[in-house]
Amino acid sequence: MKKYIRNFSIIAHIDHGKSTLSDRIIEICKNKIFKKNETRILDSMELEKERGITIKSQSVCLKYKYKNIKYKLNLIDTPGHIDFCYEVERSLYACEGVLLLIDATQGIEAQTLSNYYIAKKLKLNIIPIINKIDVKNINIENIKNQIKDLLKISKKNIILCSAKTGYGIKKILKYIINKIPYPKGKNKFNLQALVIDSYFDNYLGALFLVKIKNGFIKKKEKIKIVNKEKFFYVNKIFINEPEKKEINIILCGEVGWILCNVKNTTFIKIGNTITSYINPSKEKILHFKKIQPNIYTGIYPINNCNFIIFKKALEKLSLNDSSIFFEPENSQIFGLGFRCGFLGLLHMDITKERLIREYKLNIIITTPNVVYKIKDHKKKKFYINNTKKITEKKILEIKEPIALCKIISPIKYIGKIIKLCINKRGKQKKIKFNTNYVFIKYEIPISEIIINFIDKLKSISNGYASFNYKFKKYKKSNIKLLEIIINKKKIDGLSILIHEKNIINYGKKFVEIIKNTIPKHQFDIIIQSSCNNKIIYKSIIKSLRKNVTSKCYGGDITRKKKLLEKQKKGKKKMKKIGNIFIPQKTFLNFFKIF
């Protein structure tokens, strides 16, 4: 029955113990103790277990007996990193309540607040939990006061737990049953099912995670998207327990995976409302807001013969991760590839790793850029995410994207944090002190945030400062195009837009990075950085030289001169036809200097 169903999600800042809490809840519901090598049960990717972070939201259907009544608990474990916040918001549409997890050693952090506000906006019941209470020398009362002051939640509603030892887990399950309402809707109404996630299985094909608001879905049923005529058959239905289990029906209020005869993955999208083809509903449940990437970069297969494989890999990944944007791009240096958009550098790095591991591709990634608002000499306004397009137009004005940043930190680090924000061209908007913590709001250009800002913030605060940001506006700025020229050829993948005050400094650093990472060739390599067609800095990688006179012992000097002259002519010819190898290390080292 529907009243015995509870749909809930675990939300928190990164590394506050979401996955460990999920493991303990699964252990109690399954009445099984997992071994050490079975930790992070819901992390399906090898990459997640290696890095110790959740990348994809994962759902599991559990059964729990409370007061002699069997309840069905649909749990969704969500990511905590800011780059995957879209996963959190999407997952919460399938829930009626959330467990808000707070680390007893860290307290409330920026992503904790961000996730809390999302849950409040969706009017979900929130159960606050303080985790890691088994750690020594923690001030639990201080954390409770933070929750009371910042989240306006009474102290008596806060649960204490240790996901590591299992303390407090049964109390959490009791609160889930008593505090989170059962889903609304009725089985007898026309089918309305919201698509909240999807992924591509190499053996089964495209699978879609749906939450049933009204009606039900049966196996072999004929379904369609609301207000569209194309229909599909439900071939199979699955739930995760956490092992995949095939079932015949998903009832109102439940969450499950459906496998349809979908050949083109664009037919069913995340946010679509599925209904019955025979008795259709005309109303959509909602429409997810389209996600706008924060950074763009060019990705190219090293071997252009793999372009079609690369394209199919991106299509499958975009089904699994709807925030990936990609469009075809052609580079003079790298050949055919794609201009790809991501939510941040971690998101980009994870996608790169998945392309290499899951699809066995060798790829090269160019320097990332943000989206700029441009006004050309004809006073036309447009947006660009590719520096190559700037060189093709006469530019009158460039506006860069500005983010509103929220930083929470212990008071003793405030001086270093303000200095970092000023160095990143930040403008302070608000500062608020609260007992041991300070809350700061800054407007900072996104181009300054995406590379190394979070790493530097964590470094100067010993890991205690937390950070969250969102796009606010475009602002006019003195942005210049810094270009890299290698042997008189402009390398479009190494061009970058930089603020005028940093041009000379970065122009020198870029050239030195390239010089130290490109291997020697059989000819000289001239590397230059340029802005407005003026050379800023120049360096030369000297050619490899074979000792062609090594076999000439004594004799006439003219013999040696003849061999050296012949070598010189050969190198000159080679320079005209030679291709320069630029390793991936060159592009990766670009990120480290900001």
Side-chain angles (χ1 to χ4, degrees):
M1 289 177 67
K2 186 182 64 177
K3 68 178 181 179
Y4 300 129
I5 297 172
R6 298 293 182 271
N7 299 314
F8 67 98
S9 183
I10 304 175
I11 57 174
H13 192 83
I14 190 169
D15 202 30
H16 278 210
K18 296 179 301 300
S19 297
T20 310
L21 178 59
S22 298
D23 289 351
R24 297 294 83 75
I25 290 173
I26 294 168
E27 277 184 343
I28 289 175
C29 294
K30 298 283 284 184
N31 196 21
K32 174 187 174 184
I33 303 298
F34 294 122
K35 297 175 184 176
K36 285 185 179 179
N37 61 350
E38 290 182 300
T39 55
R40 303 185 71 91
I41 304 301
L42 296 183
D43 287 348
S44 57
M45 284 185 272
E46 184 184 329
L47 205 54
E48 290 178 309
K49 294 185 178 181
E50 273 182 24
R51 299 200 180 195
I53 59 172
T54 301
I55 296 165
K56 278 291 295 177
S57 295
Q58 296 292 341
S59 65
V60 61
C61 183
L62 302 166
K63 290 175 183 175
Y64 182 66
K65 195 172 183 180
Y66 177 71
K67 292 184 178 179
N68 293 321
I69 299 172
K70 285 186 178 178
Y71 288 86
K72 186 181 282 188
L73 308 180
N74 290 311
L75 157 65
I76 301 177
D77 180 25
T78 63
H81 195 279
I82 188 172
D83 280 9
F84 304 105
C85 58
Y86 66 98
E87 286 278 345
V88 178
E89 187 165 2
R90 210 170 58 211
S91 300
L92 296 191
Y93 280 103
C95 303
E96 282 73 45
V98 295
L99 306 181
L100 181 65
L101 203 60
I102 298 161
D103 189 330
T105 63
Q106 300 288 336
I108 291 176
E109 300 200 60
Q111 203 60 28
T112 312
L113 286 171
S114 179
N115 292 334
Y116 169 76
Y117 291 135
I118 293 170
K120 284 288 284 183
K121 185 178 74 174
L122 297 176
K123 297 178 181 178
L124 303 180
N125 281 32
I126 299 167
I127 300 173
I129 301 167
I130 299 176
N131 188 26
K132 303 185 184 180
I133 63 161
D134 57 305
V135 178
K136 293 179 181 179
N137 302 321
I138 54 171
N139 190 338
I140 293 175
E141 197 59 33
N142 185 35
I143 306 296
K144 284 184 175 182
N145 288 330
Q146 276 190 37
I147 294 170
K148 181 186 174 184
D149 295 341
L150 293 174
L151 308 183
K152 311 300 179 189
I153 296 173
S154 173
K155 289 184 183 181
K156 65 180 181 181
N157 294 325
I158 300 168
I159 303 174
L160 304 181
C161 89
S162 169
K164 184 179 178 181
T165 64
Y167 174 81
I169 305 301
K170 287 190 176 180
K171 188 176 181 181
I172 291 172
L173 287 165
K174 177 184 172 182
Y175 266 60
I176 289 168
I177 291 166
N178 293 325
K179 300 289 184 182
I180 295 176
Y182 60 83
K184 297 176 182 178
K186 293 186 178 180
N187 284 319
K188 63 182 181 181
F189 288 174
N190 289 350
L191 172 64
Q192 285 179 303
L194 178 66
V195 181
I196 55 175
D197 202 358
S198 60
Y199 82 97
F200 190 88
D201 186 286
N202 289 328
Y203 300 100
L204 298 172
L207 286 114
F208 301 92
L209 182 66
V210 295
K211 161 74 181 292
I212 312 295
K213 184 181 179 183
N214 284 306
F216 55 86
I217 292 181
K218 291 190 298 185
K219 200 173 175 180
K220 305 298 181 185
E221 187 173 353
K222 197 174 179 182
I223 59 169
K224 67 166 194 164
I225 305 300
V226 169
N227 300 329
K228 291 186 179 179
E229 288 305 312
K230 187 167 182 64
F231 63 87
F232 312 93
Y233 285 100
V234 179
N235 294 333
K236 290 183 179 180
I237 300 173
F238 298 100
I239 55 170
N240 294 329
E241 289 190 336
E243 303 83 13
K244 197 180 255 88
K245 178 185 176 182
E246 191 171 345
I247 58 173
N248 293 319
I249 190 169
I250 315 176
L251 298 171
C252 177
E254 295 184 332
V255 178
W257 293 92
I258 60 170
L259 176 69
C260 307
N261 57 328
V262 177
K263 294 181 180 178
N264 189 331
T265 55
T266 60
F267 287 141
I268 299 179
K269 295 180 180 179
I270 291 170
N272 283 159
T273 300
I274 290 174
T275 189
S276 169
Y277 187 80
I278 299 168
N279 296 308
S281 170
K282 293 182 180 180
E283 291 183 19
K284 291 182 180 179
I285 298 172
L286 57 86
H287 185 73
F288 286 133
K289 188 179 177 182
K290 192 175 179 181
I291 300 157
Q292 295 298 326
N294 288 321
I295 63 168
Y296 290 83
T297 186
I299 305 182
Y300 305 88
I302 289 175
N303 186 348
N304 271 315
C305 297
N306 293 331
F307 178 75
I308 300 299
I309 299 169
F310 179 43
K311 183 184 177 184
K312 288 180 179 177
L314 278 175
E315 286 173 352
K316 290 175 182 177
L317 272 185
S318 66
L319 181 71
N320 188 232
D321 182 353
S322 61
S323 63
I324 295 175
F325 164 88
F326 61 97
E327 63 181 9
E329 182 176 72
N330 191 9
S331 168
Q332 289 180 332
I333 304 297
F334 307 113
L336 292 171
F338 287 92
R339 171 70 29 179
C340 300
F342 303 99
L343 297 181
L345 280 184
L346 178 65
H347 188 208
M348 182 183 81
D349 187 41
I350 293 295
T351 305
K352 179 200 76 174
E353 283 294 322
R354 292 187 68 186
L355 286 168
I356 293 168
R357 294 187 187 203
E358 296 174 27
Y359 300 97
K360 313 299 180 190
L361 288 165
N362 289 319
I363 55 175
I364 198 160
I365 298 180
T366 64
T367 311
N369 291 298
V370 298
V371 179
Y372 292 91
K373 193 175 182 179
I374 304 294
K375 186 196 285 185
D376 65 13
H377 64 291
K378 295 179 181 178
K379 295 190 176 180
K380 287 184 179 178
K381 294 179 182 179
F382 52 94
Y383 296 89
I384 64 155
N385 57 48
N386 192 345
T387 54
K388 187 168 71 173
K389 294 177 182 177
I390 287 183
T391 58
E392 297 168 359
K393 297 180 181 291
K394 292 180 181 178
I395 305 301
L396 281 182
E397 180 183 274
I398 298 179
K399 288 185 177 181
E400 62 179 340
I402 306 294
L404 180 63
C405 307
K406 297 176 184 178
I407 301 169
I408 304 174
S409 167
I411 291 173
K412 64 180 178 178
Y413 302 114
I414 184 173
K416 291 179 180 179
I417 291 170
I418 288 174
K419 186 179 178 181
L420 173 64
C421 292
I422 291 169
N423 289 339
K424 292 289 185 176
R425 299 190 285 125
K427 184 179 179 182
Q428 192 180 114
K429 303 304 290 181
K430 188 178 180 181
I431 186 164
K432 181 183 175 184
F433 294 89
N434 180 9
T435 317
N436 299 317
Y437 281 80
V438 62
F439 303 86
I440 313 168
K441 284 187 181 180
Y442 261 88
E443 285 184 359
I444 304 175
I446 292 179
S447 59
E448 298 281 359
I449 294 170
I450 60 170
I451 300 177
N452 270 357
F453 181 86
I454 297 175
D455 290 340
K456 287 184 178 180
L457 180 66
K458 290 292 181 185
S459 176
I460 63 178
S461 66
N462 295 325
Y464 285 103
S466 63
F467 175 75
N468 189 20
Y469 73 94
K470 64 178 180 180
F471 169 77
K472 187 177 182 183
K473 62 182 179 181
Y474 279 95
K475 184 180 178 182
K476 186 179 176 181
S477 188
N478 293 324
I479 300 294
K480 302 291 182 183
L481 179 65
L482 180 63
E483 297 178 295
I484 300 298
I485 303 165
I486 301 179
N487 281 359
K488 297 182 180 179
K489 279 188 177 180
K490 288 182 180 179
I491 311 298
D492 48 23
L494 294 176
S495 298
I496 188 167
L497 285 162
I498 294 180
H499 194 267
E500 190 176 38
K501 72 173 186 177
N502 296 322
I503 283 287
I504 294 173
N505 183 28
Y506 287 143
K508 289 179 180 179
K509 287 182 178 179
F510 284 176
V511 170
E512 288 303 318
I513 282 173
I514 296 167
K515 184 181 178 181
N516 293 330
T517 52
I518 290 182
K520 285 189 174 186
H521 289 59
Q522 295 291 328
F523 49 86
D524 286 353
I525 300 172
I526 301 169
I527 308 162
Q528 298 167 310
S529 57
S530 165
C531 180
N532 293 335
N533 295 319
K534 292 180 182 178
I535 302 301
I536 295 169
Y537 191 71
K538 174 183 173 182
S539 191
I540 299 173
I541 301 174
K542 284 295 188 180
S543 63
L544 289 167
R545 183 184 174 193
K546 183 181 177 183
N547 190 359
V548 292
T549 62
S550 61
K551 294 182 181 180
C552 298
Y553 300 104
D556 192 353
I557 191 68
T558 56
R559 173 64 180 157
K560 291 184 179 180
K561 284 182 177 179
K562 187 177 179 182
L563 287 168
L564 289 169
E565 193 62 33
K566 187 177 179 182
Q567 185 188 48
K568 188 177 177 182
K569 286 180 181 177
K571 284 183 180 290
K572 193 173 181 181
K573 183 181 178 183
M574 192 182 291
K575 189 174 180 179
K576 289 180 182 178
I577 63 173
N579 290 320
I580 299 164
F581 171 69
I582 303 175
Q584 177 70 66
K585 188 180 177 182
T586 303
F587 297 94
L588 294 176
N589 284 353
F590 263 49
F591 304 156
K592 296 176 183 178
I593 73 167
F594 291 89

